[in-house]
Short mmCIF file of all heavy atoms in Angstrom, two decimals:
data_model
loop_
_atom_site.label_atom_id
_atom_site.label_comp_id
_atom_site.label_asym_id
_atom_site.label_seq_id
_atom_site.Cartn_x
_atom_site.Cartn_y
_atom_site.Cartn_z
N LYS A 109 -20.92 -13.02 28.31
CA LYS A 109 -20.40 -12.74 29.62
C LYS A 109 -19.56 -13.88 30.14
O LYS A 109 -18.50 -13.69 30.79
CB LYS A 109 -21.55 -12.42 30.60
CG LYS A 109 -21.23 -12.10 31.99
CD LYS A 109 -22.46 -11.72 32.78
CE LYS A 109 -22.12 -11.28 34.24
NZ LYS A 109 -21.46 -12.34 34.95
N GLN A 110 -20.05 -15.12 29.96
CA GLN A 110 -19.24 -16.32 30.38
C GLN A 110 -17.93 -16.30 29.70
O GLN A 110 -16.94 -16.66 30.43
CB GLN A 110 -20.13 -17.60 30.14
CG GLN A 110 -21.34 -17.66 30.94
CD GLN A 110 -22.24 -18.81 30.45
OE1 GLN A 110 -21.88 -19.65 29.63
NE2 GLN A 110 -23.45 -18.85 30.93
N LEU A 111 -17.81 -16.04 28.39
CA LEU A 111 -16.59 -16.09 27.72
C LEU A 111 -15.68 -14.96 28.21
O LEU A 111 -14.41 -15.12 28.37
CB LEU A 111 -16.84 -15.96 26.22
CG LEU A 111 -17.51 -17.15 25.60
CD1 LEU A 111 -17.82 -16.76 24.16
CD2 LEU A 111 -16.64 -18.30 25.62
N LYS A 112 -16.23 -13.77 28.61
CA LYS A 112 -15.48 -12.69 29.14
C LYS A 112 -14.83 -13.08 30.49
O LYS A 112 -13.71 -12.87 30.82
CB LYS A 112 -16.23 -11.42 29.33
CG LYS A 112 -16.57 -10.67 28.04
CD LYS A 112 -17.34 -9.43 28.37
CE LYS A 112 -17.60 -8.63 27.03
NZ LYS A 112 -18.29 -7.35 27.33
N ASP A 113 -15.69 -13.79 31.35
CA ASP A 113 -15.36 -14.19 32.62
C ASP A 113 -14.17 -15.27 32.53
O ASP A 113 -13.35 -15.34 33.44
CB ASP A 113 -16.47 -14.80 33.41
CG ASP A 113 -17.49 -13.70 33.83
OD1 ASP A 113 -17.16 -12.55 33.77
OD2 ASP A 113 -18.64 -14.11 34.16
N ALA A 114 -14.16 -16.01 31.51
CA ALA A 114 -13.14 -17.01 31.31
C ALA A 114 -11.92 -16.44 30.61
O ALA A 114 -10.95 -17.19 30.36
CB ALA A 114 -13.69 -18.17 30.48
N GLY A 115 -11.92 -15.15 30.22
CA GLY A 115 -10.71 -14.57 29.60
C GLY A 115 -10.64 -14.86 28.09
O GLY A 115 -9.56 -14.66 27.54
N LEU A 116 -11.76 -15.39 27.51
CA LEU A 116 -11.66 -15.74 26.16
C LEU A 116 -12.15 -14.62 25.22
O LEU A 116 -11.89 -14.71 23.99
CB LEU A 116 -12.52 -16.95 25.82
CG LEU A 116 -12.07 -18.19 26.67
CD1 LEU A 116 -13.05 -19.35 26.46
CD2 LEU A 116 -10.62 -18.69 26.19
N VAL A 117 -12.80 -13.60 25.71
CA VAL A 117 -13.23 -12.44 24.98
C VAL A 117 -12.83 -11.20 25.73
O VAL A 117 -12.88 -11.13 26.94
CB VAL A 117 -14.79 -12.47 24.78
CG1 VAL A 117 -15.27 -11.16 24.13
CG2 VAL A 117 -15.14 -13.62 23.99
N ARG A 118 -12.38 -10.16 25.02
CA ARG A 118 -11.97 -8.93 25.67
C ARG A 118 -13.02 -8.37 26.54
O ARG A 118 -14.22 -8.37 26.04
CB ARG A 118 -11.52 -7.88 24.66
CG ARG A 118 -10.17 -8.21 24.06
CD ARG A 118 -9.71 -7.30 22.88
NE ARG A 118 -10.22 -5.96 23.01
CZ ARG A 118 -11.19 -5.41 22.29
NH1 ARG A 118 -11.74 -6.15 21.33
NH2 ARG A 118 -11.48 -4.20 22.45
N GLU A 119 -12.75 -7.81 27.65
CA GLU A 119 -13.74 -7.33 28.61
C GLU A 119 -14.53 -6.15 28.06
O GLU A 119 -15.79 -6.01 28.37
CB GLU A 119 -13.09 -6.90 29.93
CG GLU A 119 -14.07 -6.37 30.97
CD GLU A 119 -15.16 -7.44 31.37
OE1 GLU A 119 -14.83 -8.62 31.41
OE2 GLU A 119 -16.26 -6.97 31.69
N ASN A 120 -13.93 -5.31 27.25
CA ASN A 120 -14.64 -4.05 26.81
C ASN A 120 -15.41 -4.20 25.54
O ASN A 120 -15.96 -3.20 24.98
CB ASN A 120 -13.64 -2.90 26.73
CG ASN A 120 -12.53 -3.16 25.75
OD1 ASN A 120 -12.45 -4.24 25.12
ND2 ASN A 120 -11.71 -2.17 25.57
N VAL A 121 -15.44 -5.43 24.92
CA VAL A 121 -16.23 -5.56 23.68
C VAL A 121 -17.77 -5.70 23.99
O VAL A 121 -18.06 -6.32 24.98
CB VAL A 121 -15.73 -6.78 22.88
CG1 VAL A 121 -16.09 -8.09 23.50
CG2 VAL A 121 -16.23 -6.83 21.42
N ARG A 122 -18.56 -5.06 23.28
CA ARG A 122 -20.02 -5.00 23.47
C ARG A 122 -20.69 -6.05 22.58
O ARG A 122 -20.22 -6.41 21.58
CB ARG A 122 -20.58 -3.59 23.20
CG ARG A 122 -20.06 -2.48 24.12
CD ARG A 122 -20.59 -1.16 23.67
NE ARG A 122 -20.15 -0.10 24.55
CZ ARG A 122 -20.86 0.54 25.41
NH1 ARG A 122 -22.23 0.16 25.49
NH2 ARG A 122 -20.44 1.47 26.18
N LEU A 123 -21.91 -6.47 23.03
CA LEU A 123 -22.79 -7.27 22.23
C LEU A 123 -23.44 -6.27 21.25
O LEU A 123 -24.04 -5.28 21.61
CB LEU A 123 -23.83 -7.91 23.07
CG LEU A 123 -24.88 -8.71 22.19
CD1 LEU A 123 -24.27 -9.88 21.52
CD2 LEU A 123 -26.00 -9.19 23.15
N GLN A 124 -23.35 -6.61 19.96
CA GLN A 124 -23.97 -5.81 18.91
C GLN A 124 -25.22 -6.46 18.43
O GLN A 124 -25.30 -7.56 17.90
CB GLN A 124 -22.99 -5.76 17.74
CG GLN A 124 -23.53 -4.99 16.46
CD GLN A 124 -22.45 -5.03 15.35
OE1 GLN A 124 -21.30 -4.91 15.52
NE2 GLN A 124 -23.03 -5.41 14.20
N VAL A 125 -26.36 -5.83 18.77
CA VAL A 125 -27.68 -6.36 18.43
C VAL A 125 -28.12 -5.51 17.17
O VAL A 125 -28.35 -4.34 17.20
CB VAL A 125 -28.70 -6.17 19.57
CG1 VAL A 125 -30.13 -6.54 19.15
CG2 VAL A 125 -28.28 -6.90 20.78
N ASN A 126 -28.28 -6.31 16.09
CA ASN A 126 -28.66 -5.72 14.81
C ASN A 126 -30.22 -5.90 14.59
O ASN A 126 -30.74 -6.96 14.69
CB ASN A 126 -27.91 -6.43 13.69
CG ASN A 126 -26.43 -6.23 13.82
OD1 ASN A 126 -25.87 -5.09 13.80
ND2 ASN A 126 -25.75 -7.35 13.98
N LEU A 127 -30.83 -4.79 14.29
CA LEU A 127 -32.26 -4.79 14.11
C LEU A 127 -32.57 -4.29 12.64
O LEU A 127 -32.09 -3.26 12.26
CB LEU A 127 -33.00 -3.93 15.15
CG LEU A 127 -32.77 -4.36 16.52
CD1 LEU A 127 -33.35 -3.25 17.47
CD2 LEU A 127 -33.37 -5.65 16.91
N PRO A 128 -33.50 -4.93 11.93
CA PRO A 128 -33.89 -4.34 10.68
C PRO A 128 -34.79 -3.13 10.91
O PRO A 128 -35.65 -3.13 11.91
CB PRO A 128 -34.71 -5.42 10.03
CG PRO A 128 -35.15 -6.29 11.16
CD PRO A 128 -34.15 -6.15 12.24
N SER A 129 -34.74 -2.11 10.11
CA SER A 129 -35.62 -1.00 10.31
C SER A 129 -37.07 -1.47 10.13
O SER A 129 -37.30 -2.45 9.34
CB SER A 129 -35.26 0.10 9.34
OG SER A 129 -35.63 -0.31 7.91
N PRO A 130 -38.01 -0.84 10.77
CA PRO A 130 -39.39 -1.25 10.60
C PRO A 130 -39.85 -1.23 9.12
O PRO A 130 -40.56 -2.13 8.69
CB PRO A 130 -40.12 -0.20 11.46
CG PRO A 130 -39.32 0.17 12.56
CD PRO A 130 -37.86 0.19 11.82
N MET A 131 -39.41 -0.21 8.39
CA MET A 131 -39.82 -0.11 6.94
C MET A 131 -39.21 -1.29 6.20
O MET A 131 -39.83 -1.79 5.23
CB MET A 131 -39.36 1.19 6.39
CG MET A 131 -40.18 1.52 5.14
SD MET A 131 -41.96 1.37 5.28
CE MET A 131 -42.28 2.84 6.31
N THR A 132 -38.03 -1.74 6.52
CA THR A 132 -37.43 -2.90 5.84
C THR A 132 -38.24 -4.09 6.00
O THR A 132 -38.55 -4.87 5.05
CB THR A 132 -35.97 -3.06 6.36
OG1 THR A 132 -35.13 -2.11 5.68
CG2 THR A 132 -35.40 -4.44 5.75
N VAL A 133 -38.65 -4.40 7.27
CA VAL A 133 -39.50 -5.54 7.51
C VAL A 133 -40.81 -5.46 6.79
O VAL A 133 -41.34 -6.43 6.20
CB VAL A 133 -39.71 -5.79 9.08
CG1 VAL A 133 -40.66 -6.94 9.29
CG2 VAL A 133 -38.43 -6.01 9.79
N THR A 134 -41.38 -4.31 6.85
CA THR A 134 -42.69 -4.11 6.16
C THR A 134 -42.53 -4.38 4.64
O THR A 134 -43.47 -5.02 4.06
CB THR A 134 -43.17 -2.61 6.45
OG1 THR A 134 -43.25 -2.40 7.86
CG2 THR A 134 -44.51 -2.41 5.80
N CYS A 135 -41.49 -3.88 4.06
CA CYS A 135 -41.30 -4.05 2.61
C CYS A 135 -41.06 -5.52 2.22
O CYS A 135 -41.53 -6.00 1.27
CB CYS A 135 -40.23 -3.20 2.14
SG CYS A 135 -40.53 -1.47 2.06
N VAL A 136 -40.33 -6.18 3.08
CA VAL A 136 -39.90 -7.57 2.72
C VAL A 136 -40.88 -8.63 3.15
O VAL A 136 -41.12 -9.62 2.46
CB VAL A 136 -38.54 -7.91 3.38
CG1 VAL A 136 -38.09 -9.32 3.11
CG2 VAL A 136 -37.43 -6.97 2.76
#
Side-chain angles (χ1 to χ4, degrees):
K109 184 176 183 298
Q110 292 168 13
L111 293 174
K112 287 183 179 184
D113 292 343
L116 298 173
V117 174
R118 285 172 35 249
E119 180 60 35
N120 60 355
V121 72
R122 293 172 179 259
L123 176 66
Q124 179 184 313
V125 175
N126 299 297
L127 301 171
S129 69
M131 197 55 69
T132 288
V133 176
T134 303
C135 286
V136 174

